[in-house]
Amino acid sequence: EGLDGLLSDARRNAVVLGPGAGIGAITRSQVELVLNSGRASVLDADALTSFEGEAESLSARVRATGAHEAVITPHDGEFSRLFNQQKDILQLKDRLSRARRAAEFLDLVVVLKGPDTVVASPDGRAVISTNGTPWLATAGSGDVLAGAIGGLLAQGHKAFAAAAAGVWLH
């Protein structure tokens, strides 16, 4: 109810959902509400884990709502949980191929976090950041990244550009 109220204000044009949201049906319904709102969005952490093994369900929701300015920001563990039913994605040998295939599958931008963070778009574009440091492997660091991308989306940047710039800034 609170999220629906917040989304009723058109000035709120971007949403970051996931960090600290809790895992389960409530977060899943919040993801659907955000996608249906037409707002630019970043789904991270609990928003992704709430769809464990149900990447196909998330993909269907994205496609049904036309949520084209959407980004997910999983680390390898979240990525594996989300796509554990899509062996064709998980068995790809390199992170670039996995991120590209996941972006195409979900029809949204994927930021596969790690020492060589990959940003992939459904249209096949991709960039790889090699300027991260081990300090970014700290709890909460991904939440900051999600917020940076969300801030760029709120300023009107397209999802792929916001994700790539957010990763570089982070």
Side-chain angles (χ1 to χ4, degrees), residues 26-114:
I26 292 173
T27 299
R28 288 171 60 95
S29 67
Q30 290 175 333
V31 167
E32 190 157 355
L33 187 63
V34 168
L35 293 174
N36 283 330
S37 76
R39 304 301 198 289
S41 57
V42 180
L43 304 177
D44 185 39
D46 293 348
L48 299 176
T49 301
S50 291
F51 283 89
E52 181 173 350
E54 297 185 41
E56 200 162 311
S57 174
L58 180 58
S59 176
R61 284 175 168 87
V62 169
R63 291 175 195 281
T65 61
H68 296 293
E69 298 307 320
V71 179
I72 65 168
T73 57
H75 55 60
D76 287 326
E78 292 162 337
F79 188 91
S80 293
R81 284 191 293 273
L82 179 61
F83 290 103
N84 70 16
Q85 298 300 309
Q86 281 68 42
K87 302 303 181 198
D88 60 315
I89 294 175
L90 290 180
Q91 291 174 352
L92 293 169
K93 294 193 187 306
D94 61 274
R95 294 168 49 78
L96 175 60
S97 296
R98 286 193 300 275
R100 278 186 165 149
R101 179 65 187 102
E104 178 187 3
F105 181 87
L106 293 173
D107 198 28
L108 48 69
V109 173
V110 173
V111 176
L112 182 53
K113 300 180 290 195

Side-chain angles (χ1 to χ4, degrees), residues 3-4 24 44 57 64 77 83 94 100 110 118 139 144 149 153 168:
L3 180 58
D4 194 34
D44 185 39
S57 174
F83 290 103
D94 61 274
R100 278 186 165 149
V110 173
V118 178
V144 173
I149 295 169
L153 288 169
W168 184 81

